[in-house]
Amino acid sequence: PQTVTLTGLTADGAGVNVTASFSDDAACTFTQNNLFTSPADCGGGDVWNVDQDIYYTSIQDAVDAAVAGETIKIIALREYIEDVVVDKTLIFTSDATDYTQIEITSIEVNTPGGSLTITGDMSVQQVLNMQAGDVFVNAGVDFALRSTETYSAMVINADPTNTVQGRVIMERYMPSVADLGGYDGVGGYHVIASPFVSAPINQLSNNMSLVLNTAFNTAPEPATVSPFPTLFLYDESSAGTPTFYYDGFLVGFKVPTTTDFEVMRGYQANVSALTTLDLNGTLNNGNIGSINITNNGLGAPNGSFNLMGNPYPSPILWNELYNNSTGVANAIYIDIPTSRYGTNYASYVNDVGVNGGTNQIATMQGFWVEAEPAGGSLTYNNDIRVTSYTNPRFFGEEEEKGLKEGLIKMQIKKDNHIGDEMAIYFEKGATADFDYYYDARKLRLHNGNAPSLYSFYEGEEKSLFFAINGMPSFNVSMQIPIAVDIKQEGRHTVSLSELKYFHDLHKVYLYDSLTHMMHDLKENPEYAFNATPGLTQKRFVLLFELPEGSGVFEDDKLVLYPNPSTERISFSLKNNFEGEYSIKIYDVLGREITGFKQVKEGAFLQGKLDISNYANGVYILELSNNKESLQKRFLKE
């Protein structure tokens, strides 16, 4: 406790001294005459149980001491770094005049058959967890799920019958192009979606210059329309014949004609830098239903795309949504603005992502999918929703896992600005052609200054371009051509951003056909080159070389090399199992010399053993898991 003397003036101008004792974390409220009004003697805290007239220093303390049905009033206007668990029917209220004045980290409602009622403005930073019971938001109250550059809130409906009832505000922070490493600090086109049962489109006018000029939809040359629209949906069925300004992908954009956002539909919005979008309404929950995706063949051979959206107030998992759906390719694509009108794409397919593409689709996020020839539908229910707190941006990073026999990611940059990333991986079942399950196409919008990098396939009847290229497993050396789009003249760099699942004996080279340079990417992961502007410059080749006769690329075969050995021996196993292995060495009498655990990711389990201190003789290496045990003899000499 501290004692503080406050000096001030009364209403008639006379001086007055007030002395009070209070704790460091207590809150005091004064009238204009410097008299205490609450809490009494300034000896309480920031949270007031109205019914018991007792003050507490935290929301959780007040909740724990409350009786069902009582009202908890949050007094101080500040951030409450608390994960509050409400285990009884209560009312939360405040005197805040704006929801940003009171921010609570998380609220979990765990009141079976009960509820939490919100009667005053406040907000949540991370999670509103509907574990059991409902949340009621009174009319006229601003209760918000916040989003900033450091966090974004979400709702978890552990049981779909536990709902948030009433009007809720949900935010989504949009980084500037400069935040993303782009070429300017302005905004750009972001793909967005609504998490509400119905939300008027004109709500966006609070956060962006909203222009809905429907003359764009019927104009012979839409680019000449003025004022130019700033919000679009996409109609694959009207992709049509390209005009002078638009190619087959672009002409499907249309200005919305409905009053409300369509649920499950994505929209492309031209948003200014550092903007926080906010929508409000009744939150979606449970089994929303299905939405059709179409393929009219207008985009062949480069795909027929549909712009979809995440309809929930929480991230969703693409792998789960894909399993719920029919007639859709396994890849998703999300726009990343590189300038006001320039865009790259975060892509994700088969547990591989580039440019930050992941399995998670963020709240209020739109995304592109490709329909298979017959078309199909996406089906949304709570099973596809994330059930623990995640804080993704509109795209993020996630470690890939899968039965891969090699994965390489490369990125291109000019100076330190945002560039582009591509991936190539090897897996049984994939082919050199485009595969709906294994590949992601290279989508390109040529406005802006960002360079692009991608692999390609050139056949007699078609050329295909890949952001993520799934290739078949291989046991001979392989070459894959790489192209670049260069927007600005000067020095560029191509570098490894990830190399995994390959065997140690694999060699990976980048060949520059213009300079005739062969660059070893394992020894030096960065290659610099000069370039002049131009699209689809088929300049590079990736070469994957492997030694002949080693046996390490044969399935289900344990290989030791060199054998015999004097200092170190390497082991290698290729099979279809991922997980933990027990690795042990025995002498010829069966006595264990050493043992350790190792986790196998991808097709290869490999390692090196130091045997320099072993006595000369024969030893046995054993690899085992819960399915198999393999042994191989080696000689120390």
Side-chain angles (χ1 to χ4, degrees):
Q2 304 177 34
T3 299
V4 177
T5 299
L6 303 168
T7 301
L9 296 175
T10 62
D12 59 7
V16 61
N17 291 334
V18 180
T19 302
S21 296
F22 58 93
S23 301
D24 289 344
D25 56 357
C28 301
T29 304
F30 305 92
T31 68
Q32 291 181 350
N33 293 330
N34 292 322
L35 299 178
F36 294 110
T37 58
S38 67
D41 298 327
C42 231
D46 294 345
V47 184
W48 180 27
N49 183 313
V50 176
D51 298 279
Q52 298 181 19
D53 196 22
I54 299 175
Y55 295 85
Y56 298 89
T57 59
S58 73
I59 300 173
Q60 190 63 61
D61 287 345
V63 169
D64 292 343
V67 175
E70 293 182 335
T71 297
I72 306 298
K73 188 171 187 178
I74 303 171
I75 300 171
L77 308 181
R78 65 175 178 85
E79 179 182 6
Y80 290 82
I81 306 175
E82 298 186 54
D83 297 314
V84 179
V85 178
V86 180
D87 59 357
K88 56 183 74 73
T89 295
L90 293 174
I91 299 170
F92 279 6
T93 192
S94 78
D95 287 330
T97 57
D98 187 282
Y99 65 79
T100 63
Q101 295 174 340
I102 294 177
E103 296 187 12
I104 305 167
T105 301
S106 296
I107 299 176
E108 177 182 321
V109 181
N110 197 353
T111 60
S115 64
L116 171 64
T117 301
I118 309 293
T119 65
D121 291 358
M122 62 189 68
S123 62
V124 172
Q125 293 179 338
Q126 292 185 6
V127 179
L128 177 61
N129 185 356
M130 310 297 296
Q131 188 65 31
D134 298 317
V135 169
F136 296 96
V137 181
N138 276 15
V141 172
D142 285 344
F143 178 62
L145 301 167
R146 298 296 318 274
S147 179
T148 71
E149 59 184 333
T150 57
Y151 56 77
S152 285
M154 59 177 283
V155 176
I156 296 175
N157 294 87
D159 182 338
T161 63
N162 300 321
T163 60
V164 184
Q165 301 180 37
R167 186 183 71 94
V168 176
I169 299 168
M170 189 158 205
E171 296 181 341
R172 188 68 209 188
Y173 173 79
M174 299 292 189
S176 72
V177 173
D179 288 344
L180 305 175
Y183 285 85
D184 54 50
V186 301
Y189 277 94
H190 296 264
V191 281
I192 65 172
S194 169
F196 297 102
V197 174
S198 60
I201 289 175
N202 63 15
Q203 288 184 15
L204 288 177
S205 61
N206 297 328
N207 313 123
M208 60 178 284
S209 176
L210 183 62
V211 178
L212 300 173
N213 186 356
T214 56
F216 176 94
N217 297 345
T218 55
E221 290 293 351
T224 63
V225 169
S226 181
F228 195 76
T230 58
L231 185 73
F232 301 90
L233 49 73
Y234 188 77
D235 181 6
E236 185 274 338
S237 66
S238 66
T241 303
T243 70
F244 176 76
Y245 291 98
Y246 290 94
D247 63 26
F249 179 66
L250 290 173
V251 295
F253 284 109
K254 301 294 180 185
V255 176
T257 56
T258 60
T259 302
D260 293 345
F261 284 101
E262 295 181 53
V263 178
M264 301 178 281
R265 184 78 62 188
Y267 293 77
Q268 193 158 46
N270 195 336
V271 182
S272 297
L274 306 177
T275 296
T276 300
L277 297 181
D278 62 83
L279 300 175
N280 67 81
T282 301
L283 293 170
N284 285 317
N285 178 42
N287 186 359
I288 295 177
S290 299
I291 184 170
N292 290 332
I293 57 171
T294 61
N295 185 335
N296 288 280
L298 301 175
N302 296 312
S304 293
F305 290 91
N306 293 249
L307 183 52
M308 302 290 101
N310 175 4
Y312 293 107
S314 64
I316 60 175
L317 301 175
W318 167 248
N319 289 347
E320 300 300 321
L321 178 56
Y322 174 76
N323 291 335
N324 275 3
S325 305
T326 61
V328 61
N330 193 22
I332 57 170
Y333 310 83
I334 296 172
D335 299 56
I336 304 173
T338 59
S339 64
R340 171 65 77 180
Y341 300 107
T343 297
N344 278 341
Y345 290 84
S347 306
Y348 172 85
V349 64
N350 192 25
D351 297 328
V352 177
V354 295
N355 292 327
T358 77
N359 183 36
Q360 290 187 9
I361 302 171
T363 53
M364 292 178 68
Q365 176 72 71
F367 57 96
W368 297 91
V369 297
E370 179 182 353
E372 293 186 0
S377 64
L378 305 182
T379 299
Y380 293 84
N381 56 41
N382 272 12
D383 292 341
I384 71 174
R385 296 175 63 179
V386 170
T387 56
S388 60
Y389 179 65
T390 57
N391 184 31
R393 300 168 72 165
F394 267 35
F395 48 92
E397 294 184 359
E398 181 175 279
E399 183 179 1
E400 295 82 15
K401 289 187 176 182
L403 191 58
K404 307 293 188 292
E405 299 180 25
L407 166 66
I408 182 172
K409 293 185 185 180
M410 300 179 65
Q411 60 181 229
I412 185 172
K413 288 185 178 181
K414 185 180 186 299
D415 304 320
N416 292 318
H417 293 300
I418 192 170
D420 192 22
E421 188 177 45
M422 54 152 274
I424 296 171
Y425 70 95
F426 300 89
E427 184 174 333
K428 292 178 181 177
T431 71
D433 205 337
F434 181 82
D435 303 305
Y436 284 114
Y437 183 80
Y438 295 100
D439 298 321
R441 297 185 191 274
K442 182 61 188 175
L443 305 184
R444 294 176 289 169
L445 291 180
H446 292 307
N447 295 317
N449 295 314
S452 295
L453 179 71
Y454 47 96
S455 62
F456 65 92
Y457 166 85
E458 208 159 36
E460 294 182 0
E461 298 181 356
K462 60 184 176 182
S463 293
L464 301 171
F465 304 97
F466 301 87
I468 303 173
N469 191 352
M471 297 291 290
S473 60
F474 65 107
N475 54 16
V476 294
S477 297
M478 181 174 288
Q479 300 180 9
I480 299 177
I482 306 297
V484 292
D485 294 338
I486 302 297
K487 308 297 182 61
Q488 293 182 316
E489 186 166 354
R491 196 74 165 168
H492 291 69
T493 58
V494 172
S495 59
L496 279 180
S497 48
E498 187 169 15
L499 187 72
K500 61 191 299 187
Y501 304 133
F502 285 102
H503 198 280
D504 288 343
L505 296 180
H506 276 119
K507 301 293 184 182
V508 183
Y509 299 98
L510 179 68
Y511 175 69
D512 186 340
S513 63
L514 187 61
T515 63
H516 303 292
M517 290 288 295
M518 183 75 78
H519 185 82
D520 189 330
L521 288 170
K522 279 193 168 183
E523 288 188 1
N524 184 355
E526 185 171 291
Y527 176 73
F529 62 99
N530 292 315
T532 57
L535 303 180
T536 317
Q537 300 182 36
K538 299 173 182 178
R539 174 171 177 172
F540 298 100
V541 178
L542 271 175
L543 296 94
F544 303 92
E545 294 187 355
L546 47 89
E548 297 179 1
S550 62
V552 298
F553 302 104
E554 297 180 29
D555 291 337
D556 302 311
K557 182 178 181 180
L558 175 58
V559 178
L560 302 180
Y561 60 95
N563 186 13
S565 178
T566 58
E567 298 288 334
R568 290 176 178 82
I569 190 166
S570 297
F571 64 88
S572 176
L573 172 66
K574 180 187 177 188
N575 63 13
N576 293 324
F577 177 84
E578 282 191 321
E580 187 176 77
Y581 270 85
S582 175
I583 301 169
K584 295 181 180 180
I585 296 178
Y586 300 95
D587 63 19
V588 290
L589 299 178
R591 294 174 298 193
E592 182 177 334
I593 306 300
T594 187
F596 58 94
K597 304 285 188 181
Q598 186 169 320
V599 175
K600 179 175 179 286
E601 293 185 43
F604 299 104
L605 177 70
Q606 54 184 322
K608 290 180 171 59
L609 304 170
D610 185 352
I611 60 172
S612 58
N613 294 326
Y614 288 18
N616 290 348
V618 176
Y619 295 87
I620 300 170
L621 175 70
E622 179 184 76
L623 305 184
S624 61
N625 56 26
N626 57 7
K627 292 185 178 181
E628 64 177 353
S629 178
L630 300 172
Q631 292 184 339
K632 188 84 171 182
R633 290 174 178 258
F634 66 90
L635 176 63
K636 162 67 189 314
E637 61 180 16

